[in-house]
Amino acid sequence: MGDVETMSKKGQETKKIRKRVNASTKKQKKPKKKVRVEDDVQVNEAIIEKMVTTLMCNTELSEAAIRSQYSSFMKECPAGEMSKEKFVQLSETVLGDEAQFLADSLFRVFDDDGSGTMDFQEYIMALNATKLTTPEEKLKWIFNVFDRDGGGSIDAGEIQEMVGGLFAMAGAEIGLEELLDCTEEIMAAIDVDGDGDITRDEFIEHAPKSQFIANMLNAE
């Protein structure tokens, strides 16, 4: 009798998770706003300040290092957007032959509006991907990439974007049903309190319990 009740509860919980996942697919996905250069100096500084604060939270870089890299970025890309070709050109001295492969993979994630460019914040996050060694570092990077607003939590919709982005980085196509299944499996493993919001700590602690995430972390 107990086993039946347990299975029933799991079934009900699975339906709740799928309902949240399905609801997220019906939301109109807002295009990601790239950080652009504004004519108004005060407006521009406010945008830069917010961007620097977010990057300091999401990377181990200091404010001085971020602002220095921003100045270099703007000299190379005055419009505030970097093309894939420019990314390869600037990163091949560090990455060598892997620069083109990494650029192809990262642009599939960051260039979700198909513009063929990435802004400074995306550029720094992309470069940070080359320094990841431990599973925890990889999980932090994944979370930070898809926590678009830097709010410290992600929901089922952003988990779905994450799954799609990870498949895109691998150059693999995925159908909607498979995407929903993966999202549901991850949510079931990570959202232990069932509130629908995943904090960074929750993600890092529970994500390896997801078979999809575990396979990704163990992949060479």
Side-chain angles (χ1 to χ4, degrees):
M1 185 66 178
D3 291 340
V4 174
E5 290 179 353
T6 300
M7 290 177 63
S8 176
K9 288 181 180 179
K10 286 184 177 180
Q12 291 174 3
E13 186 58 33
T14 298
K15 287 181 179 179
K16 289 180 182 179
I17 294 172
R18 174 54 74 109
K19 187 176 181 181
R20 285 202 300 268
V21 172
N22 283 334
S24 71
T25 66
K26 296 176 182 178
K27 294 179 181 178
Q28 187 67 31
K29 183 182 175 181
K30 296 181 180 179
K32 183 178 49 182
K33 292 183 179 179
K34 294 184 183 294
V35 178
R36 303 183 188 279
V37 181
E38 300 286 346
D39 293 330
D40 189 310
V41 176
Q42 288 185 330
V43 171
N44 200 39
E45 181 55 35
I47 294 173
I48 294 171
E49 186 67 34
K50 181 178 180 181
M51 175 185 65
V52 169
T53 300
T54 299
L55 286 173
M56 287 175 63
C57 291
N58 292 346
T59 70
E60 296 182 356
L61 295 173
S62 67
E63 179 178 356
I66 294 170
R67 287 187 176 274
S68 175
Q69 291 196 48
Y70 180 73
S71 296
S72 299
F73 180 91
M74 292 305 296
K75 288 179 182 178
E76 294 288 342
C77 310
E81 296 183 5
M82 176 179 284
S83 67
K84 186 190 293 186
E85 292 72 26
K86 179 63 74 172
F87 177 87
V88 173
Q89 178 186 332
L90 294 180
S91 61
E92 64 185 354
T93 55
V94 178
L95 304 176
D97 294 337
E98 294 184 5
Q100 183 64 55
F101 172 76
L102 182 64
D104 289 339
S105 298
L106 292 172
F107 265 79
R108 292 191 194 105
V109 175
F110 290 113
D111 185 27
D112 61 357
D113 61 359
S115 66
T117 62
M118 65 169 63
D119 63 29
F120 175 72
Q121 185 169 326
E122 294 167 332
Y123 172 67
I124 293 299
M125 290 301 296
L127 287 184
N128 202 46
T130 67
K131 303 174 184 178
L132 309 175
T133 55
T134 68
E136 182 175 345
E137 287 174 339
K138 293 176 182 178
L139 290 172
K140 282 183 179 178
W141 184 84
I142 293 169
F143 183 94
N144 290 334
V145 166
F146 292 96
D147 179 20
R148 304 287 194 194
D149 59 2
S153 66
I154 55 180
D155 59 18
E158 288 164 314
I159 290 288
Q160 183 176 319
E161 285 185 41
M162 176 192 299
V163 174
L166 293 173
F167 272 102
M169 280 189 73
E173 294 184 1
I174 181 174
L176 177 59
E177 194 59 32
E178 187 178 359
L179 179 62
L180 291 173
D181 286 343
C182 287
T183 305
E184 180 182 315
E185 190 266 338
I186 293 171
M187 285 294 291
I190 299 176
D191 189 20
V192 292
D193 58 9
D195 66 354
D197 283 323
I198 312 297
T199 65
R200 184 185 286 106
D201 289 342
E202 278 183 309
F203 184 78
I204 293 170
E205 179 180 356
H206 300 293
K209 299 174 185 176
S210 158
Q211 191 62 51
F212 173 81
I213 298 292
N215 290 341
M216 181 203 68
L217 292 175
N218 293 329
E220 296 183 356

